[in-house]
Amino acid sequence: PRTASATRVPIKNIERELICPICKELFTHPLILPCQHSVCHKCVRELLLLNHEDSFDAGSECSLPGSPGPRSRVPSPSMERLDRLARSGVFGFGSISSPGWRRGSVTPRITTFPCPGCQHDVDLGERGVSMLFRNFTLESIVERYRQAARAAVAIMCNMCKPPQQEATKSCMDCKASYCNECFKFHHPWGTPKAQHEYVGPTMNFRPKVLMCPEHEMEKVNMYCEVCRRPVCHLCKLGGSHANHKVTTMSSAYKILKEKLSKAINYLISKEDQVKTQISHLEVLINETEENGQLAERRTNEHFERLFETLQERKFEMLRSIEQSRTGRLDQLRGQVDEYQGMLENSGLVGYAQEVLKETDQSCFVQTAKQLHTRIAKSTESLRTFHPVADPSFDEFVLDTSREETLLKELCFGGVPDPPIIDLSRSRVYNEGLVCWQLAEDTLATDYQVLEYRKLGVEKDEEEGSSRWCSTVPVYGPSTVVCDLEANSLYSFRVRSCRNSLYSPYSPEVTFHTPPAPVFGFLFNDKCGFSSERLTLSKLRDSVESVAGMAFLLAAERVQTGSYMGLDYIIGDTGISQGRHYWTFRVEPHSYLVKVGVASDSKLLEWIHNPRDSSSPRYDHDSGHDSGSEDTCYDLSQPFTLLTVGMGKVFIPKASISSATAGNDHGNRVLPMPQRIGVYLDYEAGRVYFYDANTMRCLYERQVDCTGTMYPAFGLMGSGKVHLEEFITAKRLSYM
């Protein structure tokens, strides 16, 4: 079988991989986004940088020939495309309201935009484009492609006096191209320049060493497996990668190269299969083309028949109107002629006047009798005037509203595919946020209907199952269901509707509601909050403790069992009555995090009398196996904290939960749930800890609720806690 190294792919065959997804042109100084996709430096800069005269520095200190510096504003297809993207708001910026908008006046309010390759949000942070690495590998491939495309165009020596000679090699240290004579002259034997690295003629000069974009003077020598990017030792020591797993660059190079080689070899070994599938796809393309044309012809035939029917009805109805109009006009004109005869010296009156001149009595009587009858009728008609025809055509008014509605609803047949409920984004408490993904078909649906029912209740006698409740039509991918009962199991399903045709129901999913209503709060940035050791998000819905230099310098104390003190943070809302439930996530890499509740009196003690150093064994509820915890365990104290960290949950020995009964250490160390729920019953004086995904109680105990109780969190070393979005959303909407 052929291998990747033995197979040479013509450089011209990979053009589709070298096109920037934004400007649709060949990459120019491509940058690697955090999601591993690449975009042109100029494309990102046009949209994000406030100062368009900034120097180019993306992963290297050296200035490169041909690097994009201050450029004149020359219109190009890519620039026009960027203009359209910026105006349409594709990149998440505020609308540009200036009537005379110019590219030079682009002022983005944020540095977040969706990756054009995968649509994931990319946050460049305060450093902006300078935090991104240049994709030198891709840049070299693009340069080789350009050379292959212009094989007839030679690269000339940069040192020759006119006339210039064709270059035979390029020096990567000098960043210049030379002919043979000039290279020997500028790189004489026995000098340091003789040791310079040279390659074949090229216009792409890249630095010999990749520098860290966050620490400009440091070389990258490690690879972060979490962020999937090279880092330097300062990034790992106390920077943004302090808590991430890293490996050496050589190890990462070996592993990634081996994986890539295996993947390429696998694809090459499946070349016959790929060709077969391509042939099948080509057949499908031809069938699609033929069937599409056939569907067009049939649709045209249907509409032609409709047009013919409409034309026939049109002619018939117009002919009826014309016949009625002609008949009425003839009748009215005859009546006009009749009345014209009543006028003096004309018609009937004139004729009667002439008859009156007759002197022969017998002749007069013979003619006057009939004439008198006619005049009597005309006199009667005059007294009771009534038109012989109605000028109104109301009976010919056509009502086509029903037919127009039917025509507007005219569509192709077919039932839409059912949507799928998204478990990762759905959250159900006393109110439920249910999200779903629509079917990936080409036709849009009109709306969705969500149905739900409570399980474990008396069944309907007629249907043999519990009753389903339906929501009003939902014109989006999610909806909120209210007034769900606590500590209950609910089943949900959803279906789509298109043109009065309903899809089948989605597969049913079940959610267990918590034992109490949701308690909404944010982190308190005032009471006892240590801004030196804790980092709070702007929305105050997540807090992070970073293992800084102080923690690293205390390594000796860590080895002897003495730890840095806990940094406490509480919720901004207290509880003085009732039952409440809240949910949060603890990052898996967190070293030690304590979660639970504490009274205001205990909080004052923690804040005003902090322990400078403490061991996890100091607290009775720490969860660490000290052996002395149970003997001094207080049954009722003004706080309860459960220890979470290193991907585990440590259940204290005094737990009475049946799930963790016994003194076996293995039963008391559980895998850390993805989401943790806390339930406080203030009147009963008990607190419960749950796996929020399965609503399984992990631990419960008594707590003294004499004062105001607050959600409490303590972080030691590195760690991060996120409050549930559905819980914080209500609080944020009022801020």
Side-chain angles (χ1 to χ4, degrees), residues 75 103 242 331 381 395-396 402 456 525 573 637 690 719:
R103 280 190 294 272
Q331 291 175 351
S381 174
E395 65 271 26
F396 291 96
R402 184 171 61 89
D525 59 352
T573 306
Q637 52 190 10
Y690 288 88

Side-chain angles (χ1 to χ4, degrees), residues 212-232:
C212 177
E214 296 187 26
H215 309 93
E216 288 84 354
M217 303 304 296
E218 299 295 331
K219 303 175 183 178
V220 294
N221 53 9
M222 290 180 286
Y223 181 79
C224 177
E225 296 184 0
V226 177
C227 301
R228 296 183 300 174
R229 62 177 293 172
V231 297
C232 69

Side-chain angles (χ1 to χ4, degrees), residues 19-24 27 31 33 35-40 81 85 90-91 113-122:
I19 300 297
C20 173
I22 296 180
C23 63
K24 302 303 181 183
F27 282 107
L31 304 180
L33 301 178
C35 57
Q36 304 303 304
H37 291 100
S38 296
V39 294
C40 289
R81 176 178 171 80
L85 290 173
V90 170
F91 287 85
F113 63 94
C115 169
C118 62
Q119 297 303 314
H120 289 168
D121 286 342
V122 177

Side-chain angles (χ1 to χ4, degrees), residues 545-659:
S545 173
V546 181
M549 292 301 298
F551 188 83
L552 296 176
L553 294 176
E556 182 178 353
R557 297 171 65 193
V558 173
Q559 293 175 358
T560 59
S562 180
Y563 291 78
M564 303 291 290
L566 283 165
D567 294 312
Y568 288 100
I569 188 170
I570 63 173
D572 62 354
T573 306
I575 300 173
S576 57
Q577 62 178 357
R579 299 181 302 145
H580 304 275
Y581 177 86
W582 60 92
T583 308
F584 52 87
R585 290 185 295 109
V586 177
E587 287 291 338
H589 65 76
S590 301
Y591 174 69
L592 190 147
V593 178
K594 288 179 176 288
V595 298
V597 295
S599 68
D600 48 2
S601 59
K602 190 64 179 179
L603 293 172
L604 292 175
E605 177 186 340
W606 285 342
I607 295 171
H608 296 293
N609 300 297
R611 288 168 291 207
D612 181 55
S613 63
S614 64
S615 169
R617 301 186 178 191
Y618 182 89
D619 293 326
H620 305 313
D621 65 337
S622 67
H624 289 257
D625 191 9
S626 66
S628 61
E629 297 172 340
D630 299 335
T631 59
C632 57
Y633 198 95
D634 187 3
L635 293 179
S636 180
Q637 52 190 10
F639 72 96
T640 291
L641 298 174
L642 185 66
T643 303
V644 181
M646 297 171 284
K648 298 179 176 61
V649 175
F650 301 93
I651 306 299
K653 287 183 178 180
S655 170
I656 63 174
S657 173
S658 60

